[in-house]
Amino acid sequence: LQKLVNETFQKLWFTPTLHHDKEAMTRKILNITDVVAACRDTGYDWFEQLLQNLLKSEEDTSYKPVKKACTQLVDNLVEHILKYEESLSDSDNKGVNSGRLVACITTLFLFSKIRPQLMVKHAMTMQPYLTTKCSTQNDFMVICNVAKILELVVPLMEHPSETFLATIEEDLMKLIIKYGMTVVQHCVSCLGAVVNKVTQNYKFVWACFNRYYGALSKLKSQHQEDPNSTVLTANKPALLRSLFTVGALCRHFDFDQEDFKGNSKVNIKDKVLELLMYFTKHSDEEVQTKAIIGLGFAFIQHPSLMFEQDVKTLYNSILSDKNCSVNLKIQVLKNLQTYLQEEDTRMQQADRDWKKVAKQEDLKEMGDISSGMSSSIMQLYLKQVLEAFFHNQSNVRHFALNVIALTLNQGLIHPVQCVPYLIAMGTDPEPSMRNKADQQLVEIDKKYAGFIHV
């Protein structure tokens, strides 16, 4: 069936179009972007998998029709966007981003994710979209997808101009300062790729970090002096933004490097931990949640912080306390899920990099160091995560099951620790949860040949 699906889409979309047949190309573009727009809520895994499979199938052949078709599609999508912009500037709808533009840019991002080289020559065309005036959901989607494209593509450019790079850095910084969580997350991630891999403009990032870190330190001092101060209430939006942004910056930059802090002996990660931990004890749940989100980000850069006694106590008490807010429980589980997903991505990247340099290093050993830490971390929180399988809120159960599925798939724990809980989840009132638990049991049974029936 998969072979049939691949062949069908290859004929429809991924067969080169004759250069003079503009009409056929336009039909193809409209067709693909319609499908991408329709999948906005269900996700694009199928598209990525399809593209991956088709490109892989011709890796060892001299004739590469899929690669040629992809190049045509990307070039024409960019052309389509520029024409669309022109038509907008002639009308009264200036500044309004339609679903079609979002679908075009999302499609370009999907191509960039699988073959970023296809977008290298278009990076400079994409950059101005970072200055989109944001008034609708579509505008924000344009900015986030452009940031994701540039994050993948800019590091591959050969000798990009300094002006272009400086403009991207400034555009991203303006967006980080001005907009909400989703935009901040994608723009900090893009800034991480541009600065760490290309410009090494650490001073620029250090100044931004200090702006938010300084604001947090000041708000902490004010709170210590008078927890009921009206100044703090007035400054709540600044506090929430600072907690989130400090965490997001710590996820993508290691501020303990000399490039950032110079000769200073201050341990930045410990200082950040102390600050964020302080606000997890705040009386306002929204502040607590943002502080926990910030911690989750910092732990991706420095997983060893999850062994700190205060962190263990915080996470485990939130997960095991029956009276604790559901939002906080979900956030702790989301933090663990994101950490495991990032580790998985890192391992896959390390695997790909190693294959490129052939067998000069012992990959198993390289992977084991990282998975050894992940395994130790999951053992700390495993009991409480498994107990969350029985929480009366389905959202809590959903995220607990996600964490356990990732942990099992990465081989970080022995299934014997989870099987009774997965079997118990077979009676969950939510069909999606029952199916996922059953799926995990089938996987375990395959891997450990009849283990469950023993």
Side-chain angles (χ1 to χ4, degrees):
L1 181 66
Q2 190 176 359
K3 190 167 183 268
L4 184 65
V5 170
N6 284 357
E7 283 170 4
T8 307
F9 277 106
Q10 184 165 356
K11 277 182 192 144
L12 280 174
W13 291 350
F14 299 107
T15 302
T17 309
L18 295 170
H19 282 292
H20 60 269
D21 197 347
K22 283 285 176 197
E23 210 175 295
M25 197 70 231
T26 304
R27 266 200 316 274
K28 210 187 263 193
I29 295 284
L30 293 174
N31 197 317
I32 292 180
T33 51
D34 278 343
V35 172
V36 167
C39 295
R40 185 164 160 172
D41 298 326
T42 51
Y44 306 109
D45 288 355
W46 65 274
F47 186 90
E48 292 172 30
Q49 200 56 59
L50 172 73
L51 200 49
Q52 195 95 284
N53 291 343
L54 290 173
L55 286 163
K56 204 174 168 83
S57 68
E58 61 179 32
E59 258 175 15
D60 302 324
T61 61
S62 55
Y63 176 53
K64 300 184 189 298
V66 176
K67 189 181 172 189
K68 187 180 177 183
C70 288
T71 306
Q72 284 182 344
L73 285 166
V74 165
D75 294 351
N76 280 278
L77 274 162
V78 172
E79 202 178 305
H80 195 79
I81 290 169
L82 294 173
K83 277 186 186 155
Y84 174 78
E85 285 289 290
E86 268 172 43
S87 69
L88 265 192
S89 62
D90 297 337
S91 71
D92 299 332
N93 287 344
K94 217 169 177 184
V96 178
N97 280 316
S98 78
R100 175 71 63 195
L101 179 66
V102 174
C104 285
I105 290 179
T106 306
T107 309
L108 285 174
F109 164 61
L110 296 173
F111 276 109
S112 304
K113 211 172 168 186
I114 306 302
R115 279 289 184 279
Q117 297 84 351
L118 295 170
M119 275 298 288
V120 168
K121 66 176 176 181
H122 301 297
M124 292 179 82
T125 309
M126 289 287 105
Q127 175 268 318
Y129 289 91
L130 289 176
T131 59
T132 300
K133 297 270 184 296
C134 284
S135 53
T136 68
Q137 187 60 35
N138 280 342
D139 299 332
F140 286 110
M141 287 189 74
V142 165
I143 279 185
C144 291
N145 278 312
V146 169
K148 290 193 281 187
I149 290 168
L150 292 171
E151 175 179 344
L152 294 163
V153 171
V154 172
L156 302 178
M157 294 172 76
E158 280 185 39
H159 316 299
S161 85
E162 285 186 23
T163 315
F164 166 69
L165 294 169
T167 308
I168 288 185
E169 288 177 340
E170 281 159 27
D171 289 345
L172 291 169
M173 195 59 77
K174 283 175 193 163
L175 292 165
I176 290 163
I177 290 163
K178 189 172 181 182
Y179 292 115
M181 287 198 297
T182 311
V183 173
V184 170
Q185 226 171 319
H186 290 305
C187 289
V188 171
S189 187
C190 182
L191 191 65
V194 173
V195 172
N196 289 325
K197 296 176 183 176
V198 187
T199 67
Q200 274 84 52
N201 191 358
Y202 300 116
K203 275 184 184 166
F204 184 69
V205 180
W206 182 239
C208 176
F209 170 75
N210 275 306
R211 171 185 182 152
Y212 289 105
Y213 177 83
L216 270 188
S217 298
K218 192 177 172 187
L219 290 163
K220 178 188 170 185
S221 304
Q222 287 172 344
H223 187 260
Q224 282 172 320
E225 281 167 32
D226 178 10
N228 304 313
S229 157
T230 51
V231 177
L232 279 174
T233 316
N235 281 329
K236 184 180 165 181
L239 172 57
L240 296 175
R241 175 173 283 280
S242 299
L243 288 166
F244 187 86
T245 311
V246 161
L249 286 163
C250 286
R251 174 180 182 167
H252 295 284
F253 299 97
D254 181 0
F255 291 108
D256 280 307
Q257 285 180 349
E258 206 175 300
D259 295 317
F260 289 106
K261 65 176 188 180
N263 298 325
S264 168
K265 293 284 178 279
V266 177
N267 189 315
I268 305 292
K269 72 172 184 292
D270 290 350
K271 288 281 182 195
V272 168
L273 179 67
E274 192 186 317
L275 256 185
L276 294 174
M277 285 299 293
Y278 177 81
F279 287 104
T280 62
K281 296 170 184 66
H282 199 279
S283 57
D284 185 323
E285 191 187 300
E286 211 182 339
V287 173
Q288 286 178 288
T289 306
K290 282 287 191 293
I292 291 168
I293 290 172
L295 283 172
F297 286 153
F299 296 159
I300 289 168
Q301 179 73 247
H302 301 290
S304 59
L305 292 175
M306 279 190 266
F307 294 111
E308 294 288 328
Q309 191 54 53
D310 288 354
V311 175
K312 285 192 285 188
T313 306
L314 173 77
Y315 270 23
N316 282 331
S317 62
I318 287 173
L319 290 173
S320 56
D321 182 355
K322 287 184 171 54
N323 302 316
C324 186
S325 137
V326 166
N327 289 338
L328 296 182
K329 286 183 192 292
I330 288 173
Q331 194 50 60
V332 166
L333 290 167
K334 276 184 178 175
N335 282 4
L336 291 171
Q337 177 182 305
T338 309
Y339 163 69
L340 290 169
Q341 285 166 336
E342 283 288 314
E343 278 304 301
D344 194 36
T345 307
R346 267 186 220 178
M347 293 287 285
Q348 286 176 19
Q349 188 55 50
D351 192 17
R352 282 195 295 272
D353 292 346
W354 178 80
K355 278 175 180 159
K356 279 180 196 166
V357 293
K359 297 174 175 88
Q360 290 166 4
E361 283 180 58
D362 179 358
L363 176 69
K364 190 172 184 311
E365 190 180 303
M366 188 169 73
D368 283 352
I369 297 163
S370 182
S371 61
M373 182 178 284
S374 305
S375 179
S376 306
I377 286 166
M378 286 320 298
Q379 291 294 347
L380 294 176
Y381 305 110
L382 185 64
K383 183 176 177 288
Q384 282 74 13
V385 173
L386 287 168
E387 292 297 334
F389 274 26
F390 305 113
H391 196 276
N392 57 7
Q393 290 275 343
S394 66
N395 268 353
V396 175
R397 301 199 301 277
H398 166 78
F399 283 106
L401 184 52
N402 279 357
V403 170
I404 293 302
L406 282 163
T407 308
L408 283 168
N409 293 343
Q410 291 177 36
L412 303 177
I413 52 172
H414 195 281
V416 75
Q417 296 170 279
C418 304
V419 166
Y421 293 87
L422 289 167
I423 291 171
M425 200 168 241
T427 60
D428 194 279
E430 300 272 336
S432 63
M433 232 82 85
R434 293 199 297 273
N435 292 342
K436 194 162 184 182
D438 288 346
Q439 209 180 332
Q440 286 302 315
L441 288 167
V442 169
E443 288 298 317
I444 291 168
D445 212 34
K446 258 195 238 165
K447 205 170 176 181
Y448 295 88
F451 171 77
I452 293 162
H453 305 296
V454 172

